[in-house]
Amino acid sequence: MDKTRKKKLLWQVPFLLLLIAGTVFVIRQQHAMPYQHHQGFVFGTGYNVSYQADENLQPAIEAELAKVDGEFSMFNDSSTVSRMNRGEHPQPSPMFTEVYELAQTVSKETDGAFDITVAPLVNAWGFGFKHEQLPTRKQVDSLLLIRNQFDFAAIAKGYGCDVIARLMQQRGIQNYMIEIGGEVITKGISPSRLPWRIGVVKPTEDSLGTGGELLATLNLSDCSMATSGNYRNFYYKDGKKYAHTIDPHTGYPVQHSLLSATVLAPNCATADAYATSFMVMGLDKARELLSRHTELMAYFIYTDEQGQLAVWYSPALKDKIQE
């Protein structure tokens, strides 16, 4: 070995040692950094956020959620959507425009299965603010013509998760889990240094939501997930079951074998919207759409011809499922 090369190698050794030491220090710092855990109430439901950081971000989190509530909450009289539904004409914010345009895109892709103007029908069937007698066919036909009442309930929770995820990214946080009313975003690893484990609930007729038996667990990192189902929000009248998912084409509650649709997508608002859409479309049409949208994955729970619970999921999801 010539002297020049030997001298060069001698200079590289301290640099490599310094690099290794720095890497070990960073890893130790990451292990030592605590995970923060916050809970609260928003959009008529609960939220849970866990993230690895020294800083307490709950005030910032709730400030961001308040912005989403101020745009899309049907229970907030001063929200943008409430004002529009009263016939006012507020100037749409960039946030409102973003969600509205996404809703229109999903509506187009699902042939109208996703519809943010279905609120009057939801109310008529007793799943909104009123629950009186069931609507007649004439009333349903009349309500189908009303398309000036917005309801963002099927996309707002997912979008809320996206907004908090953006906050985490802006603060440089690499490991976090955000959950709002069952819609979830995961990033990096959990406090156990493993992927985040998110359960898929077994559908049971539990209108109070007191159950919680898991049918499967998904190991998720860097994923957005949303679930929609008819097994909790329903009622019986005159011996017939009415589920909360309304078909925008017919104006009636859906009647098919799909009980629960869990969707993974590039962002949580998209996952939220498609989960609702699939509950309208049913198993066969949902699977056909998935074949055209490789950016989506789904886990479906349905009843088979014998009336037993059955499962179908996207092949790309197989490695994430812990049954």
Side-chain angles (χ1 to χ4, degrees):
M1 182 182 296
D2 59 64
K3 291 183 179 180
T4 302
R5 188 178 178 189
K6 187 176 181 180
K7 187 175 181 180
K8 185 178 180 181
L9 287 174
L10 288 173
W11 276 106
Q12 289 178 339
V13 169
F15 173 77
L16 291 172
L17 290 174
L18 183 62
L19 180 62
I20 293 170
T23 302
V24 170
F25 176 77
V26 170
I27 292 173
R28 285 182 175 176
Q29 286 290 97
Q30 287 181 336
H31 279 267
M33 189 179 296
Y35 274 77
Q36 309 274 354
H37 305 280
H38 305 308
Q39 295 180 331
F41 194 75
V42 70
F43 313 147
T45 188
Y47 77 82
N48 292 274
V49 180
S50 297
Y51 57 96
Q52 189 181 31
D54 289 324
E55 182 183 5
N56 183 338
L57 293 180
Q58 188 167 23
I61 289 169
E62 296 202 337
E64 291 300 305
L65 291 176
K67 294 177 185 177
V68 181
D69 184 86
E71 295 291 342
F72 305 109
S73 175
M74 300 280 284
F75 302 94
N76 181 346
D77 289 339
S78 62
S79 71
T80 299
V81 68
S82 292
R83 293 176 62 194
M84 287 182 171
N85 287 345
R86 288 197 300 267
E88 300 176 27
H89 301 282
Q91 181 66 32
S93 68
M95 179 180 286
F96 188 95
T97 301
E98 178 186 3
V99 177
Y100 179 84
E101 290 179 350
L102 174 59
Q104 296 309 303
T105 297
V106 176
S107 178
K108 181 179 179 181
E109 292 296 318
T110 60
D111 192 26
F114 188 74
D115 191 335
I116 57 172
T117 66
V118 78
L121 285 161
V122 173
N123 290 334
W125 284 102
F127 296 104
F129 298 106
K130 300 177 181 179
H131 189 174
E132 300 170 357
Q133 63 183 20
L134 296 181
T136 64
R137 175 74 260 184
K138 183 178 180 180
Q139 289 171 328
V140 170
D141 288 342
S142 177
L143 290 172
L144 282 171
L145 299 176
I146 300 174
R147 297 297 186 185
N148 62 349
Q149 294 284 304
F150 294 125
D151 182 355
F152 288 87
I155 195 171
K157 289 186 295 182
Y159 184 72
C161 290
D162 290 330
V163 168
I164 302 308
R166 293 174 190 174
L167 173 66
M168 296 293 172
Q169 294 297 111
Q170 290 167 0
R171 300 298 179 97
I173 297 172
Q174 299 299 312
N175 302 311
Y176 57 81
M177 188 279 297
I178 304 158
E179 182 265 333
I180 302 177
E183 324 305 10
V184 179
I185 293 180
T186 64
K187 178 74 174 180
I189 56 176
S190 69
S192 62
R193 318 305 300 177
L194 296 170
W196 298 91
R197 302 180 67 204
I198 309 298
V200 178
V201 177
K202 180 179 180 180
T204 57
E205 291 196 350
D206 177 21
S207 60
L208 297 178
T210 56
E213 180 182 354
L214 298 182
L215 190 64
T217 300
L218 306 183
N219 295 316
L220 302 180
S221 291
D222 307 332
C223 286
S224 297
M225 183 184 106
T227 298
S228 183
N230 283 326
Y231 53 94
R232 286 188 174 169
N233 196 357
F234 64 90
Y235 63 85
Y236 284 94
K237 188 174 181 64
D238 299 327
K240 187 173 182 180
K241 180 180 178 180
Y242 294 89
H244 82 287
T245 301
I246 306 299
D247 187 335
H249 301 107
T250 67
Y252 279 75
V254 297
Q255 298 287 328
H256 53 58
S257 64
L258 188 57
L259 300 175
S260 171
T262 295
V263 177
L264 278 69
N267 59 71
C268 206
T270 297
D272 202 359
Y274 274 107
T276 298
S277 302
F278 291 158
M279 289 305 303
V280 172
M281 298 166 70
L283 183 63
D284 293 338
K285 290 183 179 179
R287 289 177 59 179
E288 192 278 328
L289 185 145
L290 285 167
S291 69
R292 296 183 281 109
H293 284 268
T294 56
E295 78 279 11
L296 304 176
M297 293 184 284
Y299 188 102
F300 295 141
I301 305 172
Y302 64 99
T303 51
D304 62 19
E305 294 179 354
Q306 288 72 44
Q308 302 298 312
L309 281 185
V311 167
W312 181 92
Y313 53 81
S314 302
L317 198 56
K318 183 177 181 180
D319 293 339
K320 300 181 183 294
I321 299 173
Q322 179 180 324
E323 297 185 353

